[in-house]
Amino acid sequence: MDKRRVLTDKFVQKVDEAIEALREITVENAEEQKVIDSRVAVLEWLKSGQAGKLVVGTPPEQK
């Protein structure tokens, strides 16, 4: 079993859950909606891997 792969899958699942929770929030103020939308965009960007290499479960000295 590749521990890094399993942990990365769990991380992506949690990010998806966070994105879903943010999308469920309803606000009346357009500025607040922009904040929510930007946070969703950042989470999606992190999940895409374009933010750099995503390493989960590795001690800092091995990154």
Side-chain angles (χ1 to χ4, degrees), residues 21-32:
L22 284 169
R23 288 189 173 148
E24 291 176 359
I25 297 173
T26 56
V27 294
E28 295 178 14
N29 185 332
E31 289 298 315
E32 290 176 355

Side-chain angles (χ1 to χ4, degrees), residues 4 53-63:
R4 289 185 188 153
K53 184 177 179 183
L54 176 62
V55 179
V56 178
T58 303
E61 62 273 0
Q62 293 181 4
K63 288 185 182 178

Side-chain angles (χ1 to χ4, degrees), residues 5-6 17 21 23 33 38 43 47-49 52-53 59 61:
R5 181 70 189 150
V6 171
E17 290 171 6
R23 288 189 173 148
Q33 187 61 49
S38 66
L43 289 172
K47 193 176 84 168
S48 74
K53 184 177 179 183
E61 62 273 0

